[in-house]
Amino acid sequence: MPNNASPQADEVELRPLSARSVVLSLLLGLHPPELPVKDLVRGVEPFGIAGSTLRAALSRMVAAGDLRRADTVYGLSDRLLDRQRRQDEAVHPETLPWTGDWEMVVVTATGRGPAERAELRTELTRLRLAELREGVWLRPANLLRPLPDALGQVAERCTARPDRPARELAASLWPLDAWSGTGHALLTQVARARHPSDRFTAFAAVVRHLLADPVLPPELLPPDWPGEPLRAAYADYRLEVAEAVRVQGVGEATVDARTRGGR
């Protein structure tokens, strides 16, 4: 059964900053997700990360396959581009009017090892499905997103109309009260944060939380659901960061042009 305990604002998990996490968050919020090293140096300065620390982190990230490098420009690898896509979908999920149907996925493959089973569970959860019982996953059919082609090799997808009342079923599948409580606590954290590092960690937690939003039809949600306020707050923050990076780049280009003109 879902755990519906709601944390207070001071109990929300805010992960510590690292050069890697700052770089990834900066790039994940940009389109296209790439920056020259000079802009990355300026971008991490407000978080107390020195240029030498950043360059060491960038080398490790390229070696680990997190980033690709072209001359002095660093961008997300293909693997991280997929993460950016999922993050974008979390902030702007595409929904359909709900007619009362439920999307059901029944796992049919057998003989899979523990790692394969765990990978499938992760994928189904990422698709915002919830497990009714072992091998049977479902959600309201209100979400528009592509399903991986490989899923058809291990499961069957169908449409269902459970006899159980929809609100009761949804509350049994997802910890809605706990998600709502954490969401409101995060909104409080965001409102309180003033220092760049505090805002960064708060919004990083917002993104993680939005990835776990079931995106249910409004009629199945508890009152005062914080999903949209969280999305709006993060969208504003991402625009703010992207604009700051753009202004820095334009400012340096202007200075360089003036310097060249004065020679």
Side-chain angles (χ1 to χ4, degrees):
M1 295 293 291
N3 178 7
N4 282 292
S6 299
Q8 301 299 312
D10 294 336
E11 299 172 350
V12 174
E13 179 188 8
L14 298 179
R15 298 178 185 176
L17 293 176
S18 67
R20 179 181 182 276
S21 64
V22 173
V23 168
L24 288 182
S25 291
L26 287 173
L27 293 177
L28 285 166
L30 297 177
H31 293 82
E34 57 185 33
L35 282 174
V37 67
K38 64 181 185 300
D39 290 341
L40 285 169
V41 169
R42 283 195 303 269
V44 303
E45 282 178 353
F47 309 107
I49 298 172
S52 58
T53 302
L54 171 69
R55 289 180 172 84
L58 291 174
S59 296
R60 290 193 298 268
M61 293 169 74
V62 170
D66 293 330
L67 300 179
R68 52 179 174 75
R69 178 183 175 182
D71 294 326
T72 61
V73 176
Y74 289 84
L76 296 180
S77 65
D78 289 343
R79 174 171 56 82
L80 271 297
L81 287 174
D82 183 62
R83 175 175 165 182
Q84 184 186 51
R85 178 186 58 77
R86 295 197 304 270
Q87 180 173 300
D88 289 346
E89 290 173 354
V91 178
H92 300 292
E94 294 188 63
T95 59
L96 300 167
W98 189 50
T99 63
D101 288 339
W102 288 66
E103 176 185 344
M104 179 178 289
V105 174
V106 179
V107 179
T108 56
T110 59
R112 293 169 298 118
E116 293 175 302
R117 292 197 299 271
E119 184 178 353
L120 179 59
R121 291 180 64 88
T122 299
E123 181 67 15
L124 292 171
T125 300
R126 185 184 68 77
L127 292 168
R128 293 187 167 90
L129 291 152
E131 193 171 29
L132 178 65
R133 61 179 177 82
E134 187 175 359
V136 179
W137 296 71
L138 74 165
R139 65 158 294 110
N142 73 312
L143 191 59
L144 183 63
R145 80 279 194 238
L147 297 181
D149 293 337
L151 186 61
Q153 302 173 12
V154 296
E156 292 290 339
R157 184 186 180 198
C158 57
T159 300
R161 286 223 174 190
D163 292 335
R164 192 172 176 183
R167 285 184 63 90
E168 179 184 315
L169 179 56
S172 73
L173 292 170
W174 290 278
L176 300 181
D177 289 340
W179 197 96
S180 179
T182 300
H184 285 293
L186 284 170
L187 287 171
T188 299
Q189 287 278 2
V190 166
R192 289 177 180 174
R194 293 292 181 268
H195 191 274
S197 62
D198 294 335
R199 301 187 71 222
F200 178 92
T201 53
F203 277 107
V206 166
V207 172
R208 293 194 298 271
H209 198 55
L210 287 173
L211 288 169
D213 182 0
V215 192
L216 299 178
E219 55 264 45
L220 302 186
L221 293 172
D224 198 23
W225 185 254
E228 287 309 311
L230 284 170
R231 287 185 175 85
Y234 177 68
D236 288 345
Y237 177 70
R238 188 163 65 174
L239 286 174
E240 174 188 326
V241 171
E243 178 65 14
V245 171
R246 188 191 70 80
V247 168
Q248 287 175 346
V250 170
E252 177 161 310
T254 301
V255 171
D256 288 346
R258 289 174 178 170
T259 301
R260 289 193 300 270
R263 290 175 182 173

